[in-house]
Amino acid sequence: MRRAVYPGSFDPPTLGHVDVIERAARLFDELIVAVAVNADKKPLFSLQERVEMLQECCAHLPNVRVIQLQGLLARFAQQMGACAIVRGLRAVSDFEYEFQMAIMNRQLAPDVDTCFLMTHQHYAFLSSSIVKEVARLGGDVSPFVPPTVHRRLRQKFPPPSAGEAEQGENPSAGGE
Ligand code: ADP
């Protein structure tokens, strides 16, 4: 049984993440998607919401489990009986941080190797942060996220109603 852990913030999951999950699920017998609390960043979605979204996105993959990441990743991977940590690489800019993390994790857990999957070319520019920024400003992010994530983003950032949009375009309208 070859098990791997794919850790991340997934705030929110994008089609880039789902692509990595689908490919890793083919490479390993079992894939554990581990959702990090991420104390440093203030997430848009709660841990519970991120776990739920990923469970919905992975419902078609029987060998994928989604759970909360508790504590140190290297120890977590060992406790899960994983032989690998999966990470995605988009651009050279990802490399330095990922390299540092992989070397540190190897020191902490020499029996767990980090396995990098190169992004699909369609998703090379895609990040959770850019999706949040576009959604916050009212742009359409439906080509970049799974439908469940799109729905939840619309709840967080409801599109302005027709009346509000008109007022926004002409603030003096109806002011008398
Ligand atoms: P973290 O805070 O751990 O970087 P993210 O949710 O941003 O969490 O990313 C989790 C992993 O998914 C990272 O390895 C990241 O490089 C990878 N990833 C994010 N977006 C993409 C994408 N569009 N294509 C491939 N990998 C991606």
Side-chain angles (χ1 to χ4, degrees):
M1 166 68 105
R2 301 189 72 76
R3 186 177 288 134
V5 173
Y6 177 35
S9 314
F10 307 106
D11 184 39
T14 68
L15 291 180
H17 290 126
V18 174
D19 175 60
V20 169
I21 292 170
E22 285 174 343
R23 283 152 58 208
R26 285 200 293 272
L27 291 171
F28 295 94
D29 297 312
E30 187 178 33
L31 182 71
I32 296 173
V33 180
V35 188
V37 177
N38 218 331
D40 293 346
K41 301 183 192 171
K42 195 176 167 333
L44 173 66
F45 290 96
S46 70
L47 190 57
Q48 173 76 20
E49 287 175 307
R50 286 178 278 146
V51 168
E52 281 171 14
M53 284 187 280
L54 281 161
Q55 280 170 339
E56 291 167 30
C57 302
C58 299
H60 62 299
L61 300 166
N63 64 335
V64 175
R65 265 197 291 160
V66 183
I67 56 181
Q68 294 179 14
L69 171 51
Q70 309 281 4
L72 194 63
L73 172 61
R75 196 180 306 135
F76 176 84
Q78 280 177 325
Q79 282 166 353
M80 289 288 130
C83 63
I85 292 169
V86 170
R87 296 286 287 174
L89 278 183
R90 281 160 295 185
V92 180
S93 51
D94 279 345
F95 180 81
E96 206 166 330
Y97 174 72
E98 295 294 342
F99 182 73
Q100 196 179 18
M101 288 293 295
I103 299 292
M104 177 56 81
N105 284 330
R106 183 183 292 157
Q107 295 285 320
L108 296 170
D111 48 338
V112 182
D113 231 317
T114 303
C115 167
F116 293 104
L117 294 186
M118 199 58 68
T119 184
H120 189 288
Q121 62 273 22
H122 290 167
Y123 309 128
F125 64 95
L126 192 54
S127 68
S128 298
S129 350
I130 200 153
V131 161
K132 280 184 282 191
E133 199 174 323
V134 172
R136 184 175 288 123
L137 296 171
D140 178 18
V141 293
S142 59
F144 314 118
V145 294
T148 175
V149 175
H150 186 228
R151 262 195 311 278
R152 288 183 193 237
L153 279 167
R154 282 171 69 94
Q155 283 163 8
K156 297 266 180 203
F157 307 115
S161 65
E164 281 171 33
E166 271 168 30
Q167 272 197 357
E169 277 164 25
N170 181 3
S172 65
E176 288 176 16

